[in-house]
Amino acid sequence: MPTPSTEITLSTSRTLGLVAMAAGENYKQANQVLEAAGFSRQTGGAYAVSLANAQAARRTASALAAHATEHGVALVTSTRPYLGDIGTEIAARLPGTWTAQLELYSYPLWQDDLWYQLWEAGEIHRALQDHRIPFASVLKDGKGTELLLIERPDHPAGYLIGALTDDEKEDVLDDPTTPKTMVLPAEPDRAATTITSSFLPALRHALHHRDLNTVLFALDRIRKEHDTLQTIKATGRYTDGVPLSSRLIGSMERAFADHAWIAFRTVLEHGPQLLAQCRPATTAWPDDAAALTRLRAALSDNATARQEETTLSSHLHAIPRLLRSHEYHHVRAEYGMSALPAIQTWLTDSTVFERQVRAAQPAGTHTLSAATPPTVNPRPALPPASPAPASRR
């Protein structure tokens, strides 16, 4: 007889009783088996039956075994407690206000959705490659930070914790800022202590350096275009040596301002928080304080730029519906022209900025999710017949 492609994992919960979670190609049929046996569907997709009445619970378990055999569904009894309970217990012990939400990846392809949000290159990364992960608990702090908690595969106890993000990210295997999985003990109190004392500080450090690299990449883009423009203006020729008409200089400067503003918005977004972490007096370069003051002033003294730091995203998303393409670039160039003094300051003092931020020790709340809409690639479509798992947002 062939091995069943669908299974039901059974675990115990102090609040729900016996919990069942179906996974596999025929997970819908497995859910019907659970309903026929007397299990009730819970929020999030798991099924449960109370154990308060021992005799009734035995009848339900016998009915489940019979229905599962009839429909070729395997029953797997877990030695671990229900992951939904574990996630909730850990969340209750973390600093701040955290919640936990169980997610089921009943259809095998749903597990692949995690690749687009997992900012992790350690053991969870390998677990997704080598194992079926039919369920997980997502821990949220309500401020944008989300953690993925799964049972540690090939181990009788313990859990893995990794970071999730909706922000655009580099290849996690090549990005040196990618945080690593941490192995958590089975006990919720010890697991919460590990997250608080080790994982969250490491995550803040990773976010700190990811944001720094994002700013440096934006400044590098601006600098290359700036240097090219200055060379053209100094020589009176295009980069290919063709003479340049003087009347085109102004249009080239506005084109540079347009492109520079796009990149400088990244500096406006991440710069203030990164500067707030810097303590030049505690580094080997205390005299850098003057440059950091100039960088802060370049942001705060430009009223338009500071306002656009928080409002431009929604504003510019509306403009294309009102303006033609060339008018849209004209408006954006106006923002860039007004921000040119600030941009020049950041280009001049970027080396000081980098060494002070790299020397800083990030502290406090530093979230994974940006306030702007995510820019990651869209998820691949799932089979039409399969309902998508509950949205994380």
Side-chain angles (χ1 to χ4, degrees):
M1 183 176 180
T3 301
S5 61
T6 300
E7 63 185 27
I8 294 173
T9 301
L10 299 170
S11 59
T12 57
S13 166
R14 289 186 299 179
T15 58
L16 297 176
L18 183 63
V19 180
M21 294 172 284
E25 298 284 345
N26 298 317
Y27 76 95
K28 289 183 178 180
Q29 187 177 62
N31 286 341
Q32 293 172 356
V33 165
L34 289 167
E35 291 170 358
F39 281 73
S40 300
R41 185 179 176 87
Q42 307 297 307
T43 301
Y47 285 77
V49 64
S50 173
L51 296 177
N53 186 319
Q55 186 175 2
R58 283 194 295 270
R59 286 198 301 267
T60 301
S62 297
L64 175 60
H67 285 294
T69 300
E70 178 183 353
H71 293 282
V73 177
L75 296 179
V76 178
T77 302
S78 175
T79 58
R80 304 170 185 259
Y82 173 50
L83 185 63
D85 287 352
I86 295 298
T88 299
E89 292 178 21
I90 291 175
R93 291 167 169 80
L94 296 178
T97 304
W98 288 76
T99 60
Q101 176 181 329
L102 185 76
E103 290 193 352
L104 299 186
Y105 315 116
S106 300
Y107 191 78
L109 286 180
W110 291 353
Q111 177 179 324
D112 295 343
D113 288 359
L114 292 173
W115 289 114
Y116 297 92
Q117 295 189 334
L118 188 64
W119 189 36
E120 211 289 320
E123 195 169 340
I124 287 186
H125 193 277
R126 294 191 297 273
L128 284 176
Q129 287 180 313
D130 302 336
H131 299 273
R132 275 284 293 123
I133 308 297
F135 46 80
S137 182
V138 177
L139 310 183
K140 305 178 182 181
D141 70 347
K143 300 176 182 178
T145 299
E146 299 186 3
L147 310 178
L148 185 72
L149 176 73
I150 67 170
E151 296 177 348
R152 193 180 187 192
D154 293 333
H155 290 76
Y159 302 90
L160 300 177
I161 193 79
L164 294 169
T165 177
D166 283 335
D167 292 345
E168 188 173 11
K169 55 186 179 294
E170 300 296 329
D171 187 329
V172 296
L173 295 177
D174 297 331
D175 183 1
T177 67
T178 300
K180 298 295 186 291
T181 303
M182 284 193 179
V183 177
L184 303 180
E187 300 81 2
D189 54 345
R190 292 178 57 209
T193 298
T194 300
I195 293 173
T196 301
S197 63
S198 299
F199 187 78
L200 290 178
L203 181 56
R204 285 194 293 268
H205 187 270
L207 287 163
H208 180 78
H209 286 278
R210 185 200 62 182
D211 290 348
L212 170 61
N213 291 341
T214 300
V215 169
L216 294 178
F217 179 74
L219 291 174
D220 187 57
R221 287 174 55 193
I222 296 173
R223 180 177 288 104
K224 288 178 180 178
E225 293 199 30
H226 177 268
D227 291 348
T228 298
L229 176 61
Q230 297 310 308
T231 299
I232 290 174
K233 291 171 64 176
T235 62
R237 296 176 179 274
Y238 290 104
T239 54
D240 59 4
V242 175
L244 172 67
S245 171
S246 59
R247 69 175 182 273
L248 295 179
I249 292 293
S251 62
M252 294 184 69
E253 289 178 333
R254 293 190 65 81
F256 164 73
D258 177 10
H259 298 158
W261 174 252
I262 295 173
F264 195 62
R265 290 203 310 255
T266 300
V267 182
L268 293 171
E269 178 184 355
H270 298 294
Q273 182 166 298
L274 291 170
L275 286 171
Q277 309 293 333
C278 296
R279 302 289 185 272
T282 65
T283 71
W285 313 278
D287 292 342
D288 285 351
L292 296 184
T293 298
R294 290 194 296 271
L295 292 173
R296 293 188 182 95
L299 298 180
S300 62
D301 292 348
N302 190 322
T304 300
R306 287 295 293 174
Q307 180 181 6
E308 296 309 323
E309 179 184 4
T310 56
T311 64
L312 186 62
S313 178
S314 59
H315 182 56
L316 287 185
H317 274 80
I319 287 178
R321 295 194 292 270
L322 305 175
L323 303 178
R324 292 188 294 272
S325 177
H326 73 280
E327 293 174 319
Y328 173 51
H329 292 297
H330 174 80
V331 170
R332 203 164 54 194
E334 288 296 323
Y335 292 128
M337 293 295 289
S338 68
L340 283 179
I343 291 173
Q344 185 61 59
T345 297
W346 275 81
L347 292 178
T348 301
D349 291 327
S350 61
T351 299
V352 171
F353 170 74
E354 179 179 3
R355 73 185 175 207
Q356 284 295 327
V357 174
R358 293 202 185 282
Q361 296 298 319
T365 302
H366 198 149
T367 61
L368 280 157
S369 299
T372 54
T375 54
V376 294
N377 294 328
R379 294 181 177 185
L382 297 178
S386 302
S391 172
R392 181 163 291 122
R393 294 293 177 192

